[in-house]
Amino acid sequence: MAYLPTTSNSLPRELVDPTDRSGAQMVIRPPSVLKQGPSILTDQEFHSVHLTISTAAAMGFGTLSVDASHDRRFSLIEWRRFMEKPRKDGAIEFWGVSVRYAVEYRASDLKGDFSITGLAASAELSNASISIDFSTRGIDSDKLVTPIPIRSTLNVETYAEMVEAMNRIREEVQGAPKQLIQPKLIGVKTRPQLLIESVQDPDLDRAISITYALTCIAQGTSGREARAEWKGDDAQLPLISEVYEVFGASKGKVSDFVMRQARDELAHYRLAKEWRGPGVIRVG
């Protein structure tokens, strides 16, 4: 699932109410339990998103460059404190506060894995043109934090200033007065666009269920655990139980011999409409 951060001036398709059929592109609403104040936000973590310049601009993030070449990059590093709101379409909304700094750079400025400290050092040594910008979401920053560093050229000094600002705001958010925290939609984790999800085929469901059961047996998972962890349609549970019964693994611990049998079956098995037990479906 891809995480899409939001901005105050963007409205990607994923941020529109999926239940709205009016065509008015209504913005999704906050969770009914969401109230002002930091105390209602239960989780907190660091997160980073790396985008091309063109993708960042399309999502509403301000960029200095209009160059859409593959060499241009935009990385958003944020600390967020949030609550999750699952949606019927499988996506997850993140409502809360975030403290972010965004870095715009060339991929060629990056040596090895992504690191802002590495980019800052590169900027110092080679005079690379790298910009860094600071922002917050869901926080009344005028009252809570002043001054906030503004967009500037990245170097060791400006990076240190923004890290200090982020740490200061994180500490202040914990005990901030209720009226200074107004949680907003800070991001959406979207479901992958899988074509297979649109296929309605009972034969496919059956084949996937058989493959799932065989995999569980091969890993030594008990029948009870396999059924409890099954994420598909409950109508397939009897078939999963049937596979366990065929292998003699429906009760108790799965033996090493049965696990080897299931692994052998998986090595030769291919998705098919019918399955009559071990040793029946073979390839070659």
Side-chain angles (χ1 to χ4, degrees):
M1 299 178 76
Y3 175 76
L4 299 177
T6 69
T7 70
S8 57
N9 61 343
S10 68
L11 191 60
R13 174 181 59 81
E14 289 82 3
L15 308 184
V16 176
D17 188 345
T19 64
D20 175 44
R21 297 293 182 266
S22 68
Q25 296 286 286
M26 295 179 62
V27 181
I28 54 183
R29 298 179 178 179
S32 59
V33 297
L34 188 61
K35 300 178 181 179
Q36 293 184 4
S39 60
I40 55 92
L41 306 176
T42 56
D43 297 296
Q44 51 188 328
E45 64 182 16
F46 276 98
H47 188 77
S48 60
V49 182
H50 309 293
L51 310 167
T52 63
I53 289 294
S54 57
T55 301
M59 292 178 63
F61 290 98
T63 60
L64 288 178
S65 173
V66 294
D67 181 6
S69 72
H70 293 295
D71 191 48
R72 301 297 301 178
R73 292 292 184 270
F74 178 92
S75 291
L76 184 74
I77 297 86
E78 70 176 1
W79 171 80
R80 62 190 184 193
R81 187 168 181 180
F82 60 94
M83 65 175 293
E84 295 184 3
K85 176 191 174 186
R87 291 200 321 215
K88 292 181 180 179
D89 64 353
I92 300 174
E93 300 165 13
F94 291 78
W95 289 83
V97 300
S98 68
V99 185
R100 302 168 167 173
Y101 44 83
V103 186
E104 187 177 330
Y105 57 97
R106 295 178 306 173
S108 54
D109 293 327
L110 192 63
K111 310 299 181 184
D113 295 334
F114 177 83
S115 165
I116 296 188
T117 54
L119 282 173
S122 175
E124 288 278 349
L125 295 174
S126 62
N127 294 319
S129 179
I130 304 172
S131 69
I132 185 168
D133 193 21
F134 194 90
S135 63
T136 63
R137 292 279 284 149
I139 304 171
D140 190 338
S141 56
D142 289 340
K143 295 179 181 179
L144 184 61
V145 185
T146 54
I148 290 180
I150 58 175
R151 182 187 293 272
S152 60
T153 300
L154 174 66
N155 53 43
V156 174
E157 183 178 350
T158 54
Y159 173 56
E161 289 177 354
M162 293 200 179
V163 170
E164 181 182 355
M166 174 178 277
N167 291 335
R168 185 173 68 249
I169 296 173
R170 286 174 55 205
E171 293 177 0
E172 293 177 349
V173 162
Q174 310 298 328
K178 178 179 178 181
Q179 64 271 20
L180 299 185
I181 300 297
Q182 299 176 331
K184 294 183 179 180
L185 180 67
I186 58 176
V188 173
K189 185 176 289 187
T190 63
R191 295 182 65 188
Q193 298 297 318
L194 299 178
L195 295 178
I196 198 70
E197 290 186 359
S198 63
V199 177
Q200 301 295 325
D201 186 345
D203 290 330
L204 177 63
D205 292 340
R206 178 179 175 83
I208 291 174
S209 302
I210 292 171
T211 305
Y212 170 81
L214 287 172
T215 302
C216 288
I217 295 172
Q219 294 174 347
T221 304
S222 70
R224 175 184 292 182
E225 290 174 326
R227 290 187 293 272
E229 295 173 4
W230 170 245
K231 298 298 189 297
D233 190 339
D234 287 349
Q236 298 297 318
L237 290 174
L239 178 58
I240 294 173
S241 296
E242 180 184 344
V243 176
Y244 267 80
E245 290 174 2
V246 168
F247 275 84
S250 58
K251 297 180 180 179
K253 183 179 178 181
V254 179
S255 68
D256 291 341
F257 173 74
V258 170
M259 290 169 60
R260 286 195 298 272
Q261 273 192 314
R263 283 196 293 269
D264 181 63
E265 186 71 20
L266 279 171
H268 298 86
Y269 178 69
R270 297 296 182 270
L271 294 183
K273 292 183 178 181
E274 297 181 358
W275 182 81
R276 296 186 178 86
V280 175
I281 297 179
R282 288 289 184 266
V283 175

